[in-house]
């Protein structure tokens, strides 16, 4: 039997953090993700399913992210090594009619933390063609960063997460790192 060694989306054994001036760029390898397709009258883990362009979160670092009509991405920090889709299914119960799909390994998440909200605004202005009001705390906006489709998640004023497909993790990381160096 082959011994497989887990690696991050960037191909390293452990997630790396890069500090550039007032910024910290980190590959978030602990984020578990599962898609949930259902009516919007449920509350997985007590989370209200958000409206378009928004996300909701709880103190346990779980969140619900709007992805499309009747479709949400449910996320949980520090649970990437678990069968998160199964946990979500158990949370909703066996009689609940929903489609749940494990998504953890399909996506890469890069967190940028800054010393101030103004620093986050400066990064966003360099990367996306969106008004700052569309990317405030609680947003979950799908847009392009250069030629890459991403979700911009904003958990708070001094942090932003770029969620992109794992297949272009290196390209997204390069774009984000280059924008922080400007």
């Amino acid at each position: 039997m082959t011994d497989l060694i887990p690696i991050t989306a960037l191909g390293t054994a452990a997630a790396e953090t890069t500090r550039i001036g007032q910024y910290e760029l980190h590959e978030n390898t602990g984020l578990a993700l599962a898609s949930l397709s259902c009516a919007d009258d449920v509350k997985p883990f007590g989370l209200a399913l958000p409206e378009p362009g928004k996300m909701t979160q709880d103190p346990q670092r779980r969140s619900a992210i709007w992805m499309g009509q009747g479709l949400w991405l449910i996320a949980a920090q520090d649970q990437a090594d678990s069968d998160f889709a199964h946990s979500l299914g158990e949370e909703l119960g066996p009689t609940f009619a929903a489609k749940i799909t494990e998504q953890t390994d399909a996506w890469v998440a890069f967190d940028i933390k800054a010393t101030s909200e103004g620093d986050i605004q400066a990064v966003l202005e360099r990367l996306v063609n969106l008004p700052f009001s569309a990317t405030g705390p609680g947003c979950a906006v799908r847009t392009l960063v250069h030629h890459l489709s991403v979700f911009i998640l904003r958990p708070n004023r001094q942090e932003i997460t770029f969620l992109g497909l794992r297949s272009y993790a290196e390209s997204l990381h390069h774009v984000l790192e280059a924008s922080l160096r400007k």
Side-chain angles (χ1 to χ4, degrees):
M1 179 173 210
T2 303
D3 289 328
L4 300 176
I5 300 169
I7 59 173
T8 70
L10 292 176
T12 58
E16 296 179 16
T17 299
T18 305
R19 287 181 177 74
I20 302 167
Q22 67 272 31
Y23 299 105
E24 180 179 291
L25 173 62
H26 176 73
E27 180 185 2
N28 185 345
T29 58
L31 190 64
L33 301 165
S35 60
L36 172 64
S37 177
C38 65
D40 61 358
D41 58 350
V42 300
K43 290 189 174 187
F45 305 111
L47 293 164
L49 295 177
E51 61 190 43
K54 300 292 182 187
M55 66 183 284
T56 56
Q57 50 193 341
D58 70 10
Q60 289 78 35
R61 300 175 65 192
R62 294 179 297 220
S63 54
I65 302 157
W66 184 86
M67 293 190 78
Q69 184 175 356
L71 181 63
W72 293 267
L73 194 61
I74 308 302
Q77 190 58 50
D78 300 326
Q79 293 188 28
D81 292 336
S82 69
D83 185 354
F84 185 62
H86 180 75
S87 298
L88 179 58
E90 285 184 340
E91 164 71 16
L92 295 174
T95 60
F96 184 73
K99 293 181 180 153
I100 299 169
T101 307
E102 183 67 41
Q103 296 287 330
T104 303
D105 289 336
W107 298 87
V108 62
F110 292 109
D111 298 333
I112 297 176
K113 294 180 182 176
T115 54
S116 73
E117 184 174 13
D119 293 331
I120 290 293
Q121 181 177 353
V123 170
L124 288 169
E125 287 173 352
R126 290 192 292 266
L127 288 170
V128 296
N129 188 19
L130 291 171
F132 189 62
S133 60
T135 58
C139 84
V141 180
R142 189 163 206 165
T143 188
L144 292 176
V145 170
H146 287 235
H147 60 285
L148 307 170
S149 178
V150 298
F151 276 93
I152 295 176
L153 310 176
R154 188 82 182 275
N156 59 56
R157 296 187 181 284
Q158 292 175 254
E159 187 176 347
I160 196 152
T161 297
F162 290 85
L163 189 62
L165 295 177
R166 185 180 176 101
S167 61
Y168 54 72
E170 289 183 16
S171 296
L172 180 56
H173 184 265
H174 172 76
V175 166
L176 296 175
E177 187 175 16
S179 73
L180 296 179
R181 293 192 187 282
K182 290 184 178 180

